Amino acid sequence: CVTRQKGTLVLSALLVVVSSAAGGMAGTPAGTPESWSTPLVISAADFRTNGVNRELFYFSNNGYVTGEGTTVVMIAPVYLPTGSAVRALQAHVYDNSISCAYPEVTVWLNRVGANTGTGNQTLASVSSSGAQSFMQSLTSTSISYEVIDTFRYTYYAVVMLCSASHELHSVAVFYEE
């Protein structure tokens, strides 16, 4: 928050800490070591269309992105510290549809050569199971290329929605420095 008081610029921040009864962060994958950093959380508002079917999704004022019935692919940058190690990918989604040919709501964590723009590689992915009338927290701890190298690669998240009954609320990348 930025405010101006009598010619002086005042910066203030709000820090909200959420913890579960076990003392960990709500939504933290089971068995998460305390040495892991707070996750990098990517809001639904950070995602943008990849250019295909640009008009077939919308952002809700409730903080999620949803499709309108046709497959939509969206991307968001992921900024992690060089040398850190990715430990888990987690997505918070709502999927009350079984109408898709592709596995429902799918989220990938990818990297691509920073200087070439080629050599796309997937670090992790998660997919919903469909037809669930509740929020799902999808988690994968199966990580490839886990050490972050921002000198050689850029990192990004991809989400695919293919139904009006799909919602992406957030993506979290758990890492260790």
Side-chain angles (χ1 to χ4, degrees):
C1 178
V2 179
T3 58
R4 189 171 288 278
Q5 280 183 331
K6 296 184 182 180
T8 304
L9 187 63
V10 178
L11 299 175
S12 60
L14 173 64
L15 175 63
V16 177
V17 178
V18 179
S19 64
S20 68
M25 186 175 139
T28 302
T32 301
E34 289 183 21
S35 64
W36 289 11
S37 296
T38 300
L40 170 68
V41 177
I42 306 161
S43 163
D46 291 326
F47 283 84
R48 300 294 176 254
T49 178
N50 71 342
V52 179
N53 296 327
R54 291 187 305 254
E55 64 285 340
L56 297 178
F57 71 95
Y58 67 92
F59 292 98
S60 164
N61 60 358
N62 290 321
Y64 62 85
V65 63
T66 188
E68 295 216 358
T70 300
T71 300
V72 175
V73 177
M74 304 186 77
I75 58 175
V78 174
Y79 302 108
L80 294 169
T82 295
S84 61
V86 175
R87 298 299 184 211
L89 173 66
Q90 187 173 71
H92 302 281
V93 305
Y94 178 81
D95 175 3
N96 196 19
S97 170
I98 57 170
S99 63
C100 300
Y102 203 81
E104 305 305 323
V105 179
T106 303
V107 177
W108 295 268
L109 175 61
N110 290 344
R111 72 180 188 178
V112 67
N115 298 321
T116 63
T118 61
N120 184 59
Q121 297 170 319
T122 298
L123 281 71
S125 66
V126 292
S127 294
S128 63
S129 59
Q132 303 290 327
S133 60
F134 53 85
M135 184 71 70
Q136 298 176 51
S137 292
L138 312 171
T139 304
S140 174
T141 56
S142 177
I143 311 296
S144 300
Y145 317 107
E146 67 183 28
V147 177
I148 299 298
D149 180 357
T150 57
F151 297 109
R152 296 180 50 208
Y153 299 96
T154 58
Y155 295 81
Y156 61 100
V158 179
V159 62
M160 181 184 294
L161 308 171
C162 63
S163 168
S165 296
H166 288 168
E167 299 172 2
L168 173 73
H169 289 256
S170 66
V171 172
V173 179
F174 289 83
Y175 64 96
E176 188 173 21
E177 289 190 73

